[in-house]
Amino acid sequence: MTSVPLRLRDHSYDVLIGPGVRTSLAEVVRRLGARRAVVVSARPESWVPDTGVETLLLPARDGEQDKTLATVEALCGEFVRFGLTRSDVVVSCGGGTTTDVVGLAAALYHRGVPVVHLPTSLLAQVDASVGGKTAVNLPAGKNLVGAYWQPSAVLCDTDYLSTLPPREKLNGLGEIARCHFIGAADLRGLPPAEQIAASVTLKARIVEMDERDTGVRHLLNYGHTLGHALERATDFALRHGEAVAVGTVFAGVLAGALGRIDQARVEEHREVVRYYGLPTALPVEADTAALVRLMRHDKKAITGLAFVLDGPKGAELVSDVPQEAVAHALDRMPRAPLADLVGEAVLGASTTDTARK
Ligand code: GLY
């Protein structure tokens, strides 16, 4: 078991990673002094560990469709009926959409009640459940309403990952791959628990420096400017991690075109992404002009087109990248039919799994 501390000025917690760490839940709840717990779970009851206190178990569904203010309101209504107080605890068990919506309900209920996350997907373990960002969607877009609400503990039980479908694993591997370019060591070839621990450690150090995402936390969005655009351009046929993977390859191509890195480093982007079995090409269906338009609307684009790009001093946020340079770099990317990219991703995931065994 690995324990990664996350130390903030007024709140600290540990992220536990390893097989069976979910059984630490009762000890975490005991230390919080909670007398009641509400567990909101998108997984079967047998996946939810004992809390050690009187517990209300509420079913949830992973997926963007339930990441709404209506879900937050319904959860808070259940908290009231159960008699949950500010000294009790809310527990989330599920993928990143579940930890996001439950985290927001915990942030708002009684102006904030402790929350413990039990992320069950690789994406949620390496990224979504750590760092305190919670949010729901509006019809106008994803994650438009949210709050920073740090959990009291995160239990990344790697036993949960054994049943994940290949594409769900890829979703998390996209975030692990991008760590290569924002300060992590080379994680290729390491056992999954070590890759998770290294990714979480990197994220914890970044969040400690910039909890509210006003500076260095932008680094976590490596590959995301194009990644978000690709998710939308493909109507979410490309999963988040797959889109971030293509966005990471593109970040290399763009940094190369801007003279920030040499050709070997550009190629390293492709090699790392390919190693994890992730797609490296743009879908032929996504037209360059449409992608540029979507990137202009990305919420990270504060003034003009902004990308986190590698460079002589490492990765940094580069604002106002000329639109022509972006379009030109997009045109230099290899293209493949979307169906092939998704198929390649599934085959790639099985190959990577076999290689790891
Ligand atoms: N997922 C990016 C962040 O937590 O800032």
Side-chain angles (χ1 to χ4, degrees):
M1 193 259 285
T2 308
S3 174
V4 178
L6 202 156
R7 305 273 172 259
L8 297 165
R9 200 175 314 148
D10 52 5
H11 185 84
S12 295
Y13 57 98
D14 292 325
V15 183
L16 305 188
I17 301 147
V21 299
R22 66 188 180 282
T23 57
S24 310
L25 181 62
E27 174 58 18
V28 169
V29 170
R30 193 191 62 73
R31 265 192 272 121
L32 286 170
R35 288 168 52 191
R36 292 172 156 207
V38 176
V39 179
V40 186
S41 177
R43 297 292 177 270
E45 200 172 336
S46 57
W47 288 37
V48 177
D50 181 29
T51 63
V53 295
E54 186 188 355
T55 296
L56 171 68
L57 179 63
L58 296 173
R61 266 192 318 177
D62 274 345
E64 300 293 334
Q65 74 284 345
D66 283 354
K67 235 180 90 166
T68 60
L69 281 169
T71 306
V72 171
E73 186 176 359
L75 287 174
C76 291
E78 296 288 352
F79 299 169
V80 175
R81 277 186 282 284
F82 183 58
L84 199 78
T85 71
R86 280 180 66 188
S87 356
D88 293 324
V89 65
V90 171
V91 178
S92 77
C93 177
T97 50
T98 296
T99 60
D100 268 8
V101 72
V102 176
L104 184 58
L108 298 177
Y109 184 72
H110 286 201
R111 299 194 184 84
V113 55
V115 65
V116 175
H117 295 308
L118 270 64
T120 58
S121 70
L122 186 56
L123 182 71
Q125 294 196 354
V126 297
D127 188 47
S129 66
V130 177
K133 280 189 180 175
T134 72
V136 293
N137 305 328
L138 292 182
K142 281 178 67 172
N143 296 331
L144 291 183
V145 177
Y148 289 93
W149 189 242
Q150 297 292 344
S152 296
V154 182
L155 308 178
C156 297
D157 194 322
T158 49
D159 288 342
Y160 283 143
L161 306 179
S162 59
T163 57
L164 287 184
R167 283 193 72 197
E168 193 46 62
K169 275 192 196 162
L170 282 171
N171 220 10
L173 287 173
E175 300 288 8
I176 290 175
R178 65 88 161 90
C179 288
H180 189 100
F181 302 101
I182 57 171
D186 189 347
L187 306 179
R188 287 174 286 181
L190 292 182
E194 287 180 36
Q195 292 176 331
I196 297 166
S199 306
V200 168
T201 303
L202 176 69
K203 180 159 187 180
R205 296 298 81 84
I206 288 175
V207 171
E208 283 171 347
M209 286 187 272
D210 177 25
E211 182 186 6
R212 297 297 168 117
D213 206 1
T214 55
V216 75
R217 192 166 176 163
H218 293 328
L219 293 184
L220 295 169
N221 286 311
Y222 202 80
H224 283 58
T225 308
L226 179 61
H228 288 149
L230 281 172
E231 282 182 273
R232 293 181 59 197
T234 61
D235 210 7
F236 298 92
L238 272 186
R239 307 287 307 275
H240 179 72
E242 294 164 350
V244 166
V246 180
T248 296
V249 173
F250 175 70
V253 171
L254 183 59
L258 295 174
R260 298 176 55 87
I261 55 173
D262 63 19
Q263 198 47 41
R265 184 72 167 164
V266 174
E267 193 47 41
E268 193 174 334
H269 282 70
R270 212 181 311 275
E271 279 164 16
V272 168
V273 168
R274 192 179 291 127
Y275 172 85
Y276 287 104
L278 288 152
T280 56
L282 283 175
V284 282
E285 294 84 350
D287 151 76
T288 295
L291 288 174
V292 171
R293 237 183 350 264
L294 285 167
M295 285 191 276
R296 292 197 73 85
H297 292 123
D298 188 85
K299 68 180 189 307
K300 304 292 173 203
I302 298 157
T303 50
L305 282 159
F307 293 84
V308 182
L309 293 177
D310 201 4
K313 292 182 280 173
E316 61 186 338
L317 184 69
V318 182
S319 303
D320 287 328
V321 179
Q323 193 165 308
E324 303 70 44
V326 175
H328 188 61
L330 283 170
D331 288 338
R332 286 170 63 177
M333 288 282 286
R335 296 260 181 179
L338 179 60
D340 289 1
L341 292 180
V342 171
E344 181 189 307
V346 174
L347 289 174
S350 357
T351 317
T352 311
D353 284 349
T354 313
R356 278 212 209 101
K357 277 179 190 150

